[in-house]
Amino acid sequence: MSQTGTDRVKRGMAEMQKGGVIMDVVNAEQAKIAEEAGAVAVMALERVPADIRAAGGVARMADPTIVEEVMNAVSIPVMAKARIGHITEARVLEAMGVDYIDESEVLTPADEIYHIKKDEYTVPFVCGCRNLGEATRRIREGASMLRTKGEPGTGNIVEAVSHMRQVQSQIRHLRGLSEDEVMVYAKDNGAPFDLLMEIREEGRLPVVNFAAGGIATPADASLMMQLGADGVFVGSGIFKSNNPEKFARAIVEATTHYDDYKLIGELSKGLGTAMKGMEMSTLTPEQRMQERSQ
Amino acid sequence: MTTIGVLGLQGAFREHVRSVEASGASAVVVKRKEQLDEIDGLIIPGGESTTIRRLIDKYEFLEPIQSFGKQGNPIFGTCAGLILLASEIDGSYDVHLGVMDIKVRRNAFGRQRESFEAHLDIDGVADDFNAVFIRAPYIEGVGENTKVLARYDGHIVAAQEDQYLACSFHPELTDDHRLTAHFVGMVEEAKKALAL
């Protein structure tokens, strides 16, 4: 007798990705470069976040042809993005055999209030979070993996740092609370009480939490690992750089040996220009993708 | 005390550390080849086999791990670790460590949506082992000195050949440490034999 789609199988898949780098790709050729560089998975997209920003309009699930092309090109797991609350996009990706779905604020939300009820799916989901309230709500909806939201497509690490620090600091705070205080904390943060009690007991989230949204250099990847990330997503950072092959390999190595500064120094030499990047204050509130869900 | 190293280049190595410690041995995360001198046995964890292989090459682990095993030190490979130990990989000319006489098929049960949990009878270890299979490989064929320890749906999912132990599932993801304890036993015996 066997069972598919259990929490252990879905969360376990993300555990296997730990210490690794997941790279955004838009075609088979980029997917192969990512796999060759040592990526643990690829995210198949129609456009990387920086281009989604530039293009404007409504960003939707990628054309299934692109996702299929990437699935056929590599043997590492393939992830794809569905719009927040878009049950059908998620079911289509699941039916195609995608290994992980990102219910992502990088795409234009299909539902401004409700997220997908992810525990009803056999395929596992990853979702973005900025704080413990968002993290626990996503886990309760069925997310098997989390990532910081950061601010995608900016090449600016500042928001990812803030979101990772916020979650870690809230977990530390939670550990010092008494049970009656946790009840009020649950109310104030819109977080499920029993899940908070579990996190308080274990001292960590029950799923892995990767860094995402603004990682542009090997040093950025190392920084996020030091702040407690289990691994990193690199979106626009790789294929918007001058030398994607070299950049991809350097980011993988910096993630494995995130506390070896001499090595990271070596890796960072002559990498060419990183993606240009954007300052947060130049974004209007509507341009901040992280505000698209709670 | 017996010290078991867990190759910590990528994947679920912290869970193996926990499982080794629960089985009464001490555990270290191995990130540099020099650390192989300080351990009695090695676990190669689950993760992405292509990624781990790239990092094994990058940090020149291939030959040192092969000689570590050839000296008689036990090595346990789980999931991706099993693929790395195999002497033959179906549909590929690429062999990694190639120290164990088994032929494996990657992602043999399908993609992530086909990943599953099932109860297994593992010869000499447990008859009710809750095994977690994630994009798992299986063993298509074994050499004459390789002992089959478990099958699922007719396919070989655990095997042992002298100092090498391999399984296609993830014993580190549950609280059942019996398979890890079996490996710790192998390491303790090898340590005694090597000391003579």
Side-chain angles (χ1 to χ4, degrees):
Chain A
M1 203 203 69
S2 75
Q3 261 192 306
T4 56
T6 62
D7 273 353
R8 214 178 245 142
V9 162
K10 295 199 286 189
R11 292 177 180 182
M13 155 78 195
E15 301 281 347
M16 296 311 133
Q17 305 268 297
K18 281 192 299 196
V21 182
I22 299 168
M23 302 181 190
D24 279 2
V25 299
V26 299
N27 56 41
E29 187 200 344
Q30 290 187 355
K32 282 182 182 150
I33 291 173
E35 183 176 48
E36 189 53 40
V40 288
V42 288
M43 177 79 71
L45 291 164
E46 203 155 309
R47 296 190 186 103
V48 294
D51 291 337
I52 290 176
R53 263 186 201 287
V58 174
R60 309 179 180 90
M61 172 183 84
D63 181 333
T65 321
I66 295 174
V67 180
E68 241 168 43
E69 191 189 307
V70 169
M71 285 169 67
N72 292 334
V74 294
S75 68
I76 54 176
V78 176
M79 301 186 171
K81 289 187 198 289
R83 280 180 268 177
I84 290 171
H86 207 307
I87 298 163
T88 299
E89 285 188 352
R91 285 292 183 197
V92 168
L93 293 171
E94 179 180 55
M96 288 175 67
V98 160
D99 296 298
Y100 235 94
I101 296 175
D102 186 359
E103 188 184 19
S104 178
E105 67 282 2
V106 169
L107 305 182
T108 312
D111 192 320
E112 303 241 295
I113 301 169
Y114 301 106
H115 278 71
I116 296 170
K117 195 161 175 339
K118 297 168 275 287
D119 56 1
E120 292 172 349
Y121 291 67
T122 306
V123 66
F125 281 78
V126 53
C127 285
C129 65
R130 292 175 294 182
N131 51 52
L132 200 53
E134 289 185 352
T136 50
R137 287 193 292 278
R138 297 298 89 78
I139 293 169
R140 186 42 49 83
E141 289 155 4
S144 307
M145 178 184 193
L146 295 169
R147 53 171 176 74
T148 59
K149 285 180 174 172
E151 193 52 54
T154 60
N156 189 338
I157 196 73
V158 67
E159 295 296 300
V161 166
S162 145
H163 300 162
M164 184 55 73
R165 277 196 181 273
Q166 176 67 15
V167 171
Q168 303 282 357
S169 141
Q170 284 180 292
I171 292 172
R172 280 191 295 274
H173 175 69
L174 188 62
R175 296 195 77 178
L177 297 186
S178 63
E179 196 169 334
D180 48 353
E181 288 168 340
V182 174
M183 185 57 85
V184 175
Y185 193 78
K187 177 190 67 136
D188 291 346
N189 288 277
F193 173 77
D194 56 332
L195 202 45
L196 286 181
M197 290 299 287
E198 191 189 315
I199 294 166
R200 168 175 168 262
E201 181 69 27
E202 296 293 322
R204 60 179 187 87
L205 295 168
V207 301
V208 304
N209 189 16
F210 271 46
I215 292 145
T217 67
D220 286 350
S222 153
L223 169 63
M224 294 312 299
M225 293 298 286
Q226 285 177 63
L227 291 177
D230 290 307
V232 267
F233 282 89
V234 186
S236 320
I238 290 169
F239 292 100
K240 285 283 156 190
S241 73
N242 265 353
N243 187 342
E245 283 92 347
K246 207 170 165 190
F247 230 90
R249 281 198 300 268
I251 286 188
V252 168
E253 275 196 69
T255 305
T256 309
H257 290 288
Y258 62 89
D259 53 0
D260 186 339
Y261 307 112
K262 195 162 161 257
L263 175 79
I264 294 167
E266 287 300 316
L267 294 172
S268 306
K269 282 182 185 166
L271 272 184
T273 319
M275 70 180 284
K276 185 161 177 285
M278 300 167 88
E279 220 290 297
M280 286 306 131
S281 59
T282 63
L283 297 181
T284 63
E286 306 79 66
Q287 289 173 320
R288 287 166 66 87
M289 290 174 171
Q290 59 175 285
E291 310 288 350
R292 286 171 161 178
S293 69
Q294 295 287 320
Chain B
M1 193 171 184
T2 303
T3 305
I4 293 180
V6 183
L7 190 66
L9 297 175
Q10 189 271 316
F13 51 87
R14 277 189 295 261
E15 287 68 17
H16 273 295
V17 166
R18 191 181 55 100
S19 189
V20 166
E21 287 170 349
S23 306
S26 78
V28 291
V29 174
V30 174
K31 286 201 171 200
R32 303 273 174 213
K33 61 185 178 195
E34 295 74 28
Q35 292 175 277
L36 292 173
D37 299 334
E38 300 153 20
I39 58 172
D40 306 305
L42 178 70
I43 294 177
I44 305 179
E48 281 307 316
S49 61
T50 40
T51 308
I52 298 177
R53 171 57 196 273
R54 245 203 62 78
L55 294 166
I56 280 178
D57 286 347
K58 183 78 201 174
Y59 301 108
E60 297 164 346
F61 261 112
L62 197 69
E63 197 278 323
I65 293 177
Q66 286 167 334
S67 19
F68 179 80
K70 280 175 188 149
Q71 286 157 20
N73 298 297
I75 304 181
F76 180 19
T78 62
C79 195
L82 173 149
I83 296 168
L84 292 163
L85 289 178
S87 58
E88 198 179 343
I89 299 169
D90 188 77
S92 165
Y93 293 110
D94 211 11
V95 170
H96 307 299
L97 294 160
V99 291
M100 195 172 170
D101 197 3
I102 52 175
K103 180 181 179 184
V104 301
R105 177 186 287 269
R106 298 184 59 200
N107 299 340
F109 293 101
R111 302 192 72 97
Q112 175 57 23
R113 65 176 173 188
E114 279 92 36
S115 296
F116 62 98
E117 284 185 58
H119 281 91
L120 289 184
D121 186 347
I122 307 174
D123 194 10
V125 176
D127 59 6
D128 56 349
F129 196 89
N130 183 26
V132 185
F133 291 84
I134 297 172
R135 289 169 44 92
Y138 64 61
I139 301 171
E140 285 188 322
V142 297
E144 53 185 43
N145 292 322
T146 311
K147 189 180 159 201
V148 173
L149 297 184
R151 289 178 190 269
Y152 177 77
D153 204 15
H155 304 296
I156 304 167
V157 293
Q160 185 174 344
E161 181 190 357
D162 302 321
Q163 70 272 44
Y164 303 113
L165 178 68
C167 66
S168 58
F169 49 91
H170 293 280
E172 76 283 9
L173 290 183
T174 68
D175 291 324
D176 189 339
H177 304 300
R178 286 177 290 178
L179 190 55
T180 308
H182 172 74
F183 179 66
V184 171
M186 284 169 61
V187 177
E188 281 165 354
E189 273 183 33
K191 198 178 166 184
K192 268 186 235 158
L194 290 169
L196 291 177

